């Protein structure tokens, strides 16, 4: 076991996918969240936004640290195409529009991660390139209607139908596209705990 009994990971995220990935990696954790406004400076380069937001979430969640043995884990994922961030869609129309733009294109998924203790902060970003096959209007309608991707950056989840049937290529880790670069989190935790 990576964690000693007295160490505690607090996942500052409501994402069921991040919880699933941590469980599958055998890491014990608790979920504790606060509402944190996901805003960032307009002038910030898009590649820096996910790490900035992960730090913002982790620092806001510092109130959950009860001892020096506790570790906050916060993350934020963004989908980037042609220098623009595709956030979570507000409605079906936005989801359709985003997927139509991603159709046949290669885009980037960057997940920012912040690990925070009373004494230390480790933050990093991980990038994966994803190439979609062309998506017809019928493909997009089917996916949005059946999978309701309104809580997902870029209007899609890699582990659902669209990822299985319409992703041609991935460069980088699959887990990162799901929302957490687990291999890098594992390494960072080992460094933090050594």
């Amino acid at each position: 076991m990576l964690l000693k009994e007295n160490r505690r990971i607090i996942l500052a995220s409501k994402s069921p996918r991040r919880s699933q990935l941590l469980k599958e990696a055998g890491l014990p954790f608790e979920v504790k969240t606060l509402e944190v406004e996901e805003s960032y400076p307009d002038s910030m380069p898009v590649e820096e936004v996910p790490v900035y937001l992960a730090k913002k979430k982790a620092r806001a969640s510092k109130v959950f640290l009860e001892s020096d043995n506790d570790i906050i884990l916060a993350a934020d994922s963004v989908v980037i195409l042609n220098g623009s961030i595709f956030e979570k869609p507000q409605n079906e129309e936005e989801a359709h529009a985003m997927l139509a733009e991603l159709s046949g294109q290669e885009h980037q998924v960057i997940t920012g991660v912040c690990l925070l203790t009373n004494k230390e902060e480790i933050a990093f970003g991980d990038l994966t390139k994803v190439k979609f096959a062309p998506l017809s209007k019928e493909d997009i309608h089917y996916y949005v209607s059946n999978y309701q991707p309104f809580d997902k950056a870029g209007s899609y989840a890699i582990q659902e139908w669209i990822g299985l049937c319409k992703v041609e290529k991935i460069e980088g880790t699959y887990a990162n596209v799901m929302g957490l670069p687990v291999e890098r989190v594992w390494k960072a935790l080992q460094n933090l705990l050594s």
Side-chain angles (χ1 to χ4, degrees):
M1 173 54 62
L2 173 70
L3 290 182
K4 295 183 181 130
E5 280 181 34
N6 62 343
R7 301 306 298 244
R8 188 170 71 127
I9 296 173
I10 299 155
L11 176 62
S13 172
K14 291 178 191 159
S15 163
R17 291 153 306 269
R18 292 192 182 112
S19 289
Q20 177 193 343
L21 288 166
L22 288 177
K23 276 182 199 148
E24 288 176 2
L27 288 165
F29 65 95
E30 296 171 32
V31 174
K32 292 194 174 191
T33 61
L34 294 169
E35 288 303 317
V36 177
E37 191 184 341
E38 294 187 10
S39 60
Y40 49 87
D42 291 337
S43 59
M44 178 172 282
V46 290
E47 295 81 10
E48 294 175 18
V49 168
V51 174
Y52 175 86
L53 292 175
K55 285 180 179 179
K56 192 174 179 181
K57 291 174 183 179
R59 290 169 184 168
S61 302
K62 201 165 184 176
V63 294
F64 299 129
L65 293 174
E66 292 173 10
S67 78
D68 289 346
N69 293 320
D70 293 349
I71 304 159
I72 301 283
L73 168 53
D76 191 85
S77 297
V78 299
V79 168
I80 300 169
L81 177 66
N82 299 328
S84 293
I85 291 179
F86 285 41
E87 297 180 0
K88 294 169 187 168
Q90 299 300 306
N91 51 47
E92 281 196 23
E93 204 174 303
E94 269 191 26
H96 279 257
M98 281 186 201
L99 292 170
E101 277 196 68
L102 293 171
S103 171
Q105 301 292 315
E106 180 179 273
H107 61 273
Q108 299 174 328
V109 178
I110 302 177
T111 298
V113 175
C114 184
L115 296 164
L116 185 69
T117 68
N118 278 329
K119 297 175 181 172
E120 208 173 338
E121 179 180 275
I122 296 173
F124 57 87
D126 200 72
L127 184 149
T128 302
K129 293 178 182 175
V130 180
K131 170 81 162 58
F132 268 141
L135 301 169
S136 67
K137 284 184 180 175
E138 292 76 18
D139 292 335
I140 293 170
H141 178 74
Y142 171 79
Y143 179 67
V144 174
S145 299
N146 287 284
Y147 293 89
Q148 305 288 309
F150 306 116
D151 65 333
K152 299 170 180 94
S155 304
Y156 80 94
I158 193 85
Q159 71 277 14
E160 293 175 344
W161 174 83
I162 205 162
L164 297 170
C165 298
K166 290 294 179 175
V167 167
E168 289 182 347
K169 188 171 78 170
I170 298 178
E171 278 180 49
T173 70
Y174 179 86
N176 187 53
V177 185
M178 273 184 76
L180 198 66
V182 180
E183 183 259 348
R184 289 194 64 191
V185 169
W186 182 272
K187 270 188 197 162
L189 281 168
Q190 287 177 317
N191 292 337
L192 201 59
L193 301 174
S194 60

